[in-house]
Amino acid sequence: MANMDFLKDEIAQLKTENRFIEPAVLEDMQNAVCTINGKKVINLTSNNYLCMTAHPKVISAAVEATKKYGIGTAAVRTIIGTTSLHEELEKRLAEFKGTEASLVIQSGFTSNTAVCQSLMTSPQDVLISDELNHASIIDGGRLSKAKKLIYRHSDMQHLKEILDMPEVKQARRRLLVTDGVFSMDGDICNLPEIVKLCAPRDVMVMVDDAHASGVIGPQGRGTVAHFGLKGKVDIQIGTLSKAFAAIGGYVAGSANLKAYMQSVARPFLFSSSHPPAVVATCLAGLDVIYNEPERLKKLWDNTKFFKEELKKAGFDTGHSETPITPVMVGDSAKAKQLSAMLFEEGVFALAICFPTVPRGKERLRTIVTSGHELKDLEKAVAAFKKCGKELGLI
Ligand SMILES: *Cc1c(COP(=O)(O)O)cnc(C)c1O
């Protein structure tokens, strides 16, 4: 065995930088209130926007699919890993997103890497990316052969300058990628302006709707529907791991995009497909989204209430427009301390530190769901006020 003592040094370094992470352990069903590390807490951390984790119809769909198709596929999609459920899900996700076709891939993360890697195959290609895009888009850029050009967060003037650069004009292919809803700040990308700038310059637009699908736009259809831009965005990425509470991602776009990706996208070709239970969960989740609009309404009512109360209390909650509400702290140690103090008060909200956010932008990130009761949110706000005062944040 080799000497791996360097890991001890690395861990010590992470600890001195307040970057060492030990995951909390959930001990019962994930809900607005659940048990973590032995304590019952109000959960403000999850992407379970519509409380799909605990929906009886979704749970029974997973059980029924397991009985009919078995536990797993034991193969990649292109071998024997495509069941009729997978086919049905892709048709219905395309309908959800208003596109010709969709392709389900292992995760949202690999959907982003798959598209960037499959479309951007030459140093003559350019990938244009918002500086706050998700890590999976950054890794997608690394796996692509394209030249990367980064614009300041949602800065449309800077984007225009980049788009007018000769190397962009002369590129073989141009792809702009943006998060639909930015995962750490909760703001929505300026998609109308992006489309306006990109369309006349023959730049493909790709929007990653991980935090937007099921959450914004009519029936939670995402950023494109939110802005009424159906048919104007080339590629939409969705995740099945957040509002759908299962696991997986998808690429929605033209039939040709799907046909091409099916033959070349490396995660699709070389990693096994979703178990039938997961696929059935997502199909049932779509039914819930269409048939129970009261969930989306409750999500937004809760969002407005919680955001307003935190603001009234004097917290800096950034410029979020969605159920993701950051509570800015500006220091790793203090952010972790606030999180620990809230936990003692029965509220679970995690500190987000460098490198997930830039240094000085450390924060607690909160997410409310449709499952929170008013009394949960009132209790959470009271705890925030108490701990925030003790730490001198308000
Ligand atoms: C969570 C997230 C992903 C990754 O999705 P998974 O399905 O969890 O792999 C991709 N992009 C953004 C913007 C995200 O927030």
Side-chain angles (χ1 to χ4, degrees), residues 47 105-112 132-137 178-184 208-211 237-242 246-250 324 365:
N47 309 308
I105 298 186
Q106 281 73 14
S107 66
F109 196 108
T110 51
S111 298
N112 279 328
L132 292 190
N133 276 346
H134 190 260
S136 52
I137 296 173
T178 179
D179 281 16
V181 169
F182 288 87
S183 52
M184 294 300 140
D208 173 4
D209 258 355
H211 281 284
I237 302 296
T239 175
L240 302 166
S241 336
K242 288 178 174 142
I247 188 84
Y250 55 94
I324 299 171
R365 185 176 69 149

Side-chain angles (χ1 to χ4, degrees), residues 40 42 345-347 374-384:
K40 199 169 161 201
I42 297 164
E345 299 292 322
V347 175
L374 196 59
K375 66 171 177 18
D376 301 328
L377 297 180
E378 283 169 347
K379 194 180 157 201
V381 170
F384 261 99

Side-chain angles (χ1 to χ4, degrees), residues 336-347 386-388 390-391:
K336 292 203 167 171
Q337 202 183 346
L338 177 59
S339 173
M341 287 163 72
L342 286 168
F343 192 77
E344 286 308 307
E345 299 292 322
V347 175
K386 183 176 173 217
C387 304
E390 275 177 46
L391 284 177

